[in-house]
Amino acid sequence: MCGIFGYAGEKRDAREAVLEGLQRLEYRGYDSWGVGVVSDDSISVDKHVGLVGKDAGTLPKSHIGIGHTRWATHGKVTNENAHPHYASDKSFALAHNGIVENVAALKSSLQKDGYAFISETDTEVIVRLIERRRRTAKSLAEAIRLSFKELEGRNTIIVLARDGEIIAARNGSPLVLGIGAKSEIYLSSDVFSCAPHVKSILVLDNGEMVTVCDGEISLVNILTGKSIKPVYEKNLLKDVSVSKGSYDHYMLKEINEAPFVIRQVVKESDAKYRALARAIKKARRVYTIGSGTAGAAAAQMAFYLRLYGGIEAKELIGAEAYEYKSLIGKGDILIAPSQSGETADVLEVLELAHTRKATIASFVNMPGSMMTRLSDHKFMANAGPEICVMSTKIFVSQIAWGYLVAKAVEGKLAEGKRNLKKVATEVEKLLADKKFIREVKDHAERLAHKEHLYLLGKGQNLQIVREGMVKIIEGSYVHAHAIPAGDLKHYAITLMAPDVSVVTTISNDEVCASVLNAVHEVRARGASVFGIAPQMNENFDDFLAVPDTGETSAILNVIPLQLLAYYMAVALDHNVDKPRNIAKSVTVK
Ligand code: GLU
């Protein structure tokens, strides 16, 4: 969700460097964008609604600039509201990620002091606060620091000063500083966006502010103003590719990376899995937590922990953990799978748990995230960037990881790793099977024109059909509804009638018979059933054969559902990689 970028260096034209950075941040989701550069001691700004442009329009050549992709929260999607926002005297321009929660109080106090507002954004309040502080503060940096302290909520800002200084402060969405060749300096919301150009990175913590001036970097604690020694890390993502390759969409490329991401999970050391397994076994209460697709992954992990680990694990949805906040405390463990490691709803619960001395474990894809920093047990997905807003490969890696952690708790880590290697091979074969892909595509083209779709699942397949529902809703905007097979007769059976389509994924496990029972009931009401299973059943109107991989069959079953959602979105001619209204990393509440 939204992005910030900054560049200072002799090597590149700042306009191009910033535009390239914004393009690499596009996947996070945005509605408008802007670039600001300094030349001849003055700032020029170019702002637009819509997609990041290919050239910098009217901006002058420069070596210092900032950029922003906006996800509007306060004020309409217009050029005026897009960032960066100028100071009244154009001595600086500012871009902002987040929401100023005390905007009303700050605005009225500024208005009382005679400050006027041009845009509808909460961002402009920060600009005016800095202007007010600037009247007495000893420097612009000090005015920014003091103003930033007045903000409530999760906010990250970047300020470009007329004299070529760039100042950025973080108390919310991520902020990374990267150092490139010939003392080029990059600032960005994520490492991937500047990775090819930087040797080392500095991940800012909440409450830190950095000033970049003439190639010098200084870091301070926002609360105290005291300087902090920056700790640089080597950039391990230098060669990471963000290209689509020969695929039509990132989504398809990423679905095809499932075997790779499962193998990455297997590669992690046994010692780390065992340490987490010990922590889970001795915990007073075990929670898994996530939002959206990661919420389904967290629920699948809790299922595995209950089934294989014999642990009473409870899944939480990030934004719906309200009543748990009073329960979480010392002795508990919270386990969070997350693509970005920055999801605000989840972070809020983890931060609270951290202050109450609960143990935290995370499985994150984006390096340098807040969740990783908060964690006692830090796992990385190492899955490479996931560009499509809809998560596919990361979900697969999250549930594979959840399965392996549960197997470690069971004391069968080696068996778990063997099973995952096997499922990776089976998924690989499936994805290479042209007949299989054609069949999924045919079914997708048929189902894309339905008004409603129902998905039935149970046991290890329950969260899988739920995730299938999420993918279908996200990509094709078709109304989908996942029903626990056992609950069908308690309510959703009323909806079953001729012309109604039901999709189910089934494994050869103890609950198979009971799902088939539900299928039977659906059929009896005239609805038609598309079964994805190891073998045909007389009650399936349509059937897609998948291999039986036993304990890991749910991990395999999600692949045809992801493909189904993909081809449905393609059949409807939707913007597959960027569905309407949703953002990838939701860093605001
Ligand atoms: N709240 C700000 C706005 O609506 C910033 C949104 C963002 O993070 O992009 O302009």
Side-chain angles (χ1 to χ4, degrees):
M1 191 173 243
C2 50
I4 276 180
F5 201 84
Y7 174 81
E10 286 308 313
K11 202 173 157 218
R12 302 179 70 191
D13 182 337
R15 297 172 301 184
E16 281 158 33
V18 173
L19 273 182
E20 185 202 83
L22 293 185
Q23 276 154 9
R24 292 176 77 120
L25 287 170
E26 277 189 307
Y27 76 95
R28 297 166 65 86
Y30 68 103
D31 45 52
S32 47
W33 61 281
V35 178
V37 295
V38 166
S39 89
D40 294 335
D41 288 334
S42 82
I43 300 174
S44 312
V45 162
D46 187 31
K47 313 199 273 191
H48 300 271
V49 167
L51 295 182
V52 174
K54 298 277 175 267
D55 67 72
T58 54
L59 290 177
K61 192 167 166 39
S62 161
H63 289 288
I64 304 168
I66 62 171
H68 182 259
T69 48
R70 177 177 186 234
W71 180 277
T73 66
H74 289 59
K76 289 182 279 301
V77 180
T78 59
N79 277 3
E80 195 115 277
N81 288 335
H83 308 202
H85 291 274
Y86 275 125
S88 313
D89 61 358
K90 297 199 174 172
S91 60
F92 67 87
L94 177 148
H96 161 227
N97 279 176
I99 294 175
V100 180
E101 285 176 8
N102 53 338
V103 60
L106 292 174
K107 196 167 181 174
S108 75
S109 122
L110 285 159
Q111 277 164 334
K112 266 192 217 125
D113 282 355
Y115 288 90
F117 290 82
I118 302 161
S119 77
E120 301 161 310
T121 62
D122 50 344
T123 306
E124 201 184 337
V125 164
I126 315 176
V127 174
R128 307 290 161 234
L129 275 178
I130 296 171
E131 287 179 20
R132 185 162 71 178
R133 286 279 181 188
R134 188 72 188 96
R135 298 205 304 241
T136 50
K138 64 178 194 302
S139 65
L140 176 63
E142 189 59 1
I144 293 171
R145 184 180 76 81
L146 296 173
S147 307
F148 198 78
K149 277 169 63 167
E150 294 185 57
L151 309 179
E152 285 171 18
R154 289 178 180 274
N155 296 288
T156 295
I157 59 167
I158 188 163
V159 180
L160 176 68
R162 190 160 51 192
D163 62 6
E165 225 177 5
I166 298 182
I167 299 160
R170 172 184 185 175
N171 190 33
S173 51
L175 187 61
V176 185
L177 181 143
I179 302 193
K182 295 203 184 125
S183 34
E184 284 176 290
I185 295 165
Y186 289 83
L187 280 155
S188 181
S189 302
D190 75 23
V191 194
F192 288 135
S193 60
C194 58
H197 306 290
V198 304
K199 295 177 295 194
S200 53
I201 55 165
L202 165 71
V203 182
L204 269 83
D205 229 328
N206 278 340
E208 290 181 355
M209 182 175 97
V210 68
T211 302
V212 174
C213 186
D214 292 332
E216 298 291 315
I217 296 161
S218 57
L219 189 67
V220 296
N221 178 309
I222 294 171
L223 223 54
T224 63
K226 294 221 170 79
S227 66
I228 304 170
K229 196 172 153 12
V231 183
Y232 294 96
E233 300 160 37
K234 194 170 178 309
N235 171 25
L236 300 172
L237 300 168
K238 207 159 169 48
D239 301 321
V240 126
S241 153
V242 289
S243 114
K244 260 198 302 237
S246 57
Y247 293 97
D248 288 342
H249 300 97
Y250 281 108
M251 183 175 181
L252 189 58
K253 172 178 183 260
E254 288 156 8
I255 294 173
N256 274 277
E257 286 170 347
F260 164 73
V261 305
I262 298 172
R263 290 179 184 127
Q264 292 293 84
V265 166
V266 175
K267 264 196 202 159
E268 187 56 272
S269 81
D270 289 4
K272 267 182 91 171
Y273 281 110
R274 292 210 175 95
L276 176 55
R278 279 195 298 275
I280 291 173
K281 280 202 249 185
K282 72 166 208 258
R284 179 178 68 157
R285 282 184 292 234
V286 177
Y287 298 109
T288 61
I289 181 164
S291 292
T293 288
Q300 186 72 0
M301 178 177 195
F303 169 86
Y304 287 139
L305 282 170
R306 294 189 294 265
L307 189 70
Y308 300 122
I311 297 283
E312 213 180 306
K314 167 81 191 142
E315 62 264 32
L316 305 179
I317 293 174
E320 302 298 337
Y322 168 74
E323 74 280 23
Y324 284 92
K325 288 185 184 165
S326 59
L327 301 173
I328 293 168
K330 196 166 175 333
D332 296 343
I333 184 166
L334 278 85
I335 310 172
S338 171
Q339 195 291 124
S340 65
E342 301 286 348
T343 315
D345 296 334
V346 176
L347 262 180
E348 192 177 87
V349 181
L350 295 185
E351 278 162 359
L352 175 99
H354 183 69
T355 57
R356 300 240 186 97
K357 309 229 170 342
T359 301
I360 294 170
S362 61
F363 177 74
V364 174
N365 192 40
M366 191 61 80
S369 75
M370 212 56 217
M371 271 185 216
T372 304
R373 290 171 156 231
L374 271 179
S375 297
D376 306 284
H377 298 266
K378 310 171 200 284
F379 287 78
M380 295 303 295
N382 296 321
E386 189 178 61
I387 307 284
C388 177
V389 170
M390 289 187 264
S391 175
T392 52
K393 68 172 175 178
I394 298 301
F395 178 75
V396 172
S397 90
Q398 288 168 342
I399 59 174
W401 179 76
Y403 167 74
L404 205 49
V405 172
K407 292 300 280 182
V409 173
E410 193 190 5
K412 294 187 177 171
L413 180 60
E415 182 185 286
K417 284 196 168 182
R418 273 198 307 278
N419 290 344
L420 283 183
K421 280 188 201 156
K422 242 184 276 165
V423 76
T425 308
E426 291 300 333
V427 170
E428 203 158 47
K429 282 196 228 154
L430 214 55
L431 288 166
D433 182 343
K434 292 211 169 66
K435 182 171 163 277
F436 176 83
I437 300 294
R438 205 174 44 246
E439 278 175 29
V440 178
K441 205 169 162 216
D442 288 347
H443 289 299
E445 281 162 8
R446 180 174 56 82
L447 295 174
H449 303 285
K450 293 273 170 191
E451 208 172 326
H452 308 283
L453 250 186
Y454 298 91
L455 295 102
L456 269 183
K458 191 176 177 73
Q460 61 177 324
N461 284 291
L462 181 55
Q463 295 305 324
I464 299 307
V465 296
R466 192 184 136 204
E467 177 52 15
M469 164 191 84
V470 169
K471 287 290 89 81
I472 290 168
I473 292 175
E474 284 179 320
S476 63
Y477 323 145
V478 167
H479 169 238
H481 183 148
I483 308 163
D487 233 14
L488 174 80
K489 56 183 169 301
H490 296 290
Y491 66 105
I493 191 85
T494 59
L495 303 170
M496 298 302 139
D499 268 349
V500 169
S501 285
V502 178
V503 181
T504 182
T505 62
I506 300 181
S507 303
N508 286 338
D509 56 20
E510 319 71 74
V511 301
C512 171
S514 115
V515 187
L516 288 171
N517 210 20
V519 165
H520 200 85
E521 290 181 40
V522 164
R523 269 308 275 326
R525 269 95 198 154
S528 70
V529 177
F530 171 29
I532 301 172
Q535 60 275 324
M536 176 58 183
N537 182 277
E538 56 183 9
N539 283 306
F540 296 155
D541 299 87
D542 294 290
F543 168 61
L544 191 66
V546 287
D548 178 2
T549 59
E551 283 186 0
T552 59
S553 89
I555 300 172
L556 182 134
N557 282 349
V558 78
I559 304 292
L561 291 182
Q562 290 176 345
L563 286 167
L564 192 72
Y566 169 72
Y567 286 113
M568 283 175 71
V570 171
L572 293 164
D573 209 16
H574 287 174
N575 188 348
V576 177
D577 288 328
K578 292 192 194 96
R580 68 185 182 201
N581 303 341
I582 55 168
K584 185 138 192 91
S585 48
V586 186
T587 52
V588 294
K589 282 199 290 166

